[in-house]
Amino acid sequence: MENNKNMHSWLDDFKLSHPLVIAGPCSAETEEQVLAIAHELKDSDVSVFRAGIWKPRTRPGGFEGVGEAGLKWLQRAKAETGLLMAVEVANVNHVKLALEHDIDVLWIGARTAVNPFAIQEIADALKGTDKIVLLKNPVNPDLSLWLGGLERLYNAGIKKLGVIHRGFSSYEKTKYRNNPEWQIAIDLQNRFPDLPIICDPSHIAGKRDMIQEVSQQALDLNFDGLIIETHIDPDNAWSDAAQQVTPSVLKQIFIDLRVRKETDEADDFTVRMNKLRTQIDDLDAKLLEVLGKRMKVAEKIGALKKEKNVAILQSSRWHEILGKMVLEGEEKGLSEEFVLKLFKAIHQESISHQEKLMR
């Protein structure tokens, strides 16, 4: 699979003056609810109405969607508002029913994206379709797995492809429901710069008061669009109540968001940007030099431990360093989350160097 300009064609065909917006409730609950939300979104920046028809839940017993009946509600919403319709599909039967009801956009969820067998079956069922097919990132932070699913869809002859970045699961608790891990999405963008990439701030944030912030971050990174959950009565939604906003709040978000230019051709901008980038390059080189020196010291520590038959991991010393670095990082304007990730990576590399010496 190689990047080509045609990857972006289906999005260009919308002829939008703003990023693509897909919006609607987490779940279709009743026909009245679907129609009410669709009509609220009709005259806004929303081009595609989304609603969960089948809802795979983490544990059984919760609301798992209204099923096929909801597809008829979406057909009526499309007829009345002119909005395109989007649903999640998790198996071949979902695909069959969605195509029978002329759904315009089909997305494959994060839980399905981790299973190459499931992706292949869905790809086979969609072979040669002219529908828009969007693949969410898998729940675990694995770019290869995300790319593998994309390649299976591409090899099935699906021309209108895109991806949705919805963040990644993490055992450690953070302020996000799913950690954005922006670098993974950036790496995918770098490989396929013409492949449309859409951000799902609802699932990254998990809280409605963070939707604006995450949406702006995505636009600052040149994402092509947003998929946001909206409900006429979010607090009483049947699923994911905490991360849904009302249509009126959603419209205000559209007003407040700033769409950045990809670049600026002005000479002054170019000169100043080049100077700043040169500084970044210089500092990055110095960082690598310092890290290399640190690993040399770690190797000497490993040699001493080997000589004295001392275990590599010294937990009390490690926790002491970590606490100290978090405090010093805060003084330098660095977030605790960043400092923890950085020093855990450095610590793991130090252990690897010492393990080689021990062997």
Side-chain angles (χ1 to χ4, degrees):
M1 178 175 167
E2 295 182 358
N3 182 71
N4 67 71
K5 298 291 183 183
N6 291 331
M7 287 180 167
H8 211 269
S9 296
W10 67 262
L11 186 53
D12 294 336
D13 288 343
F14 279 90
K15 294 181 171 54
L16 299 172
S17 59
H18 53 77
L20 176 70
V21 181
I22 303 171
C26 174
S27 301
E29 299 166 358
T30 66
E31 185 172 20
E32 292 73 23
Q33 172 241 20
V34 166
L35 293 173
I37 299 171
H39 279 280
E40 285 278 349
L41 301 178
K42 178 181 177 182
D43 297 314
S44 71
D45 286 352
V46 176
S47 298
V48 182
F49 182 86
R50 58 138 293 152
I53 301 299
W54 303 280
K55 299 297 299 179
R57 311 315 293 168
T58 302
R59 299 177 66 182
F63 173 62
E64 297 191 332
V66 296
E68 183 179 353
L71 295 172
K72 292 181 173 56
W73 306 343
L74 296 186
Q75 284 182 313
R76 182 176 171 187
K78 180 178 180 178
E80 293 185 9
T81 66
L83 292 169
L84 300 185
M85 295 291 133
V87 299
E88 177 179 354
V89 292
N91 58 44
V92 172
N93 186 53
H94 293 171
V95 171
K96 175 176 172 291
L97 290 170
L99 294 179
E100 285 177 0
H101 290 81
D102 198 27
I103 298 300
D104 305 283
V105 180
L106 290 75
W107 83 82
I108 300 168
R111 291 181 176 88
T112 309
V114 299
N115 187 340
F117 294 107
I119 294 290
Q120 188 60 59
E121 289 177 358
I122 291 172
D124 291 341
L126 285 168
K127 193 166 185 131
T129 184
D130 64 349
K131 302 294 186 183
I132 297 167
V133 180
L134 306 175
L135 177 66
K136 284 196 173 185
N137 61 260
V139 290
N140 48 315
D142 186 337
L143 179 58
S144 293
L145 193 57
W146 198 2
L147 289 171
L150 193 62
E151 288 166 345
R152 290 176 189 277
L153 296 167
Y154 179 84
N155 291 339
I158 299 167
K159 304 298 184 187
K160 299 177 181 178
L161 273 177
V163 293
I164 299 174
H165 174 50
R166 50 80 77 189
F168 301 89
S169 294
S170 170
Y171 185 71
E172 295 177 347
K173 189 172 180 60
T174 73
K175 69 175 185 177
Y176 301 102
R177 178 181 177 184
N178 295 290
N179 279 337
E181 303 283 2
W182 294 110
Q183 188 57 51
I184 295 177
I186 291 169
D187 288 343
L188 188 144
Q189 281 179 306
N190 288 337
R191 291 200 192 193
F192 300 102
D194 290 299
L195 179 73
I197 182 166
I198 295 163
C199 181
D200 180 349
S202 303
H203 280 88
I204 289 176
K207 298 185 285 289
R208 63 177 66 103
D209 60 0
M210 289 176 61
I211 300 295
Q212 171 91 33
E213 172 192 336
V214 176
S215 296
Q216 187 62 63
Q217 285 179 289
L219 296 187
D220 289 348
L221 292 172
N222 293 321
F223 275 55
D224 296 287
L226 303 166
I227 177 169
I228 302 177
E229 293 184 347
T230 180
H231 194 291
I232 48 174
D233 185 11
D235 290 331
N236 292 302
W238 295 3
S239 58
D240 287 348
Q243 67 190 40
Q244 299 192 65
V245 297
T246 62
S248 60
V249 168
L250 181 65
K251 291 172 187 176
Q252 187 60 49
I253 288 174
F254 297 155
I255 294 170
D256 294 338
L257 285 175
R258 295 191 63 188
V259 180
R260 313 293 185 183
K261 294 182 291 185
E262 188 170 346
T263 187
D264 189 312
E265 299 301 326
D267 290 341
D268 177 61
F269 171 84
T270 302
V271 170
R272 289 164 62 192
M273 182 60 74
N274 287 341
K275 285 181 180 178
L276 292 170
R277 284 174 173 165
T278 298
Q279 290 179 43
I280 288 287
D281 291 344
D282 183 51
L283 290 168
D284 285 345
K286 289 176 181 176
L287 276 174
L288 289 175
E289 185 179 349
V290 169
L291 287 172
K293 289 179 179 178
R294 189 191 191 284
M295 293 308 154
K296 294 294 183 185
V297 175
E299 289 171 2
K300 291 179 180 179
I301 291 172
L304 181 58
K305 288 176 180 175
K306 182 178 181 180
E307 178 187 333
K308 301 299 182 180
N309 196 32
V310 173
I312 291 176
L313 181 61
Q314 303 290 309
S315 296
S316 59
R317 165 70 177 162
W318 164 233
H319 289 299
E320 178 187 334
I321 291 172
L322 208 55
K324 179 184 175 185
M325 291 301 102
V326 166
L327 291 174
E328 291 189 9
E330 287 178 353
E331 291 175 2
K332 293 173 173 59
L334 303 174
S335 70
E336 179 178 344
E337 181 182 8
F338 171 74
V339 172
L340 288 173
K341 283 184 179 179
L342 174 64
F343 277 90
K344 284 180 181 179
I346 292 172
H347 186 240
Q348 185 56 54
E349 184 69 9
S350 297
I351 288 175
S352 297
H353 280 251
Q354 291 183 26
E355 284 177 337
K356 288 178 183 177
L357 282 168
M358 287 289 191
R359 290 197 293 268

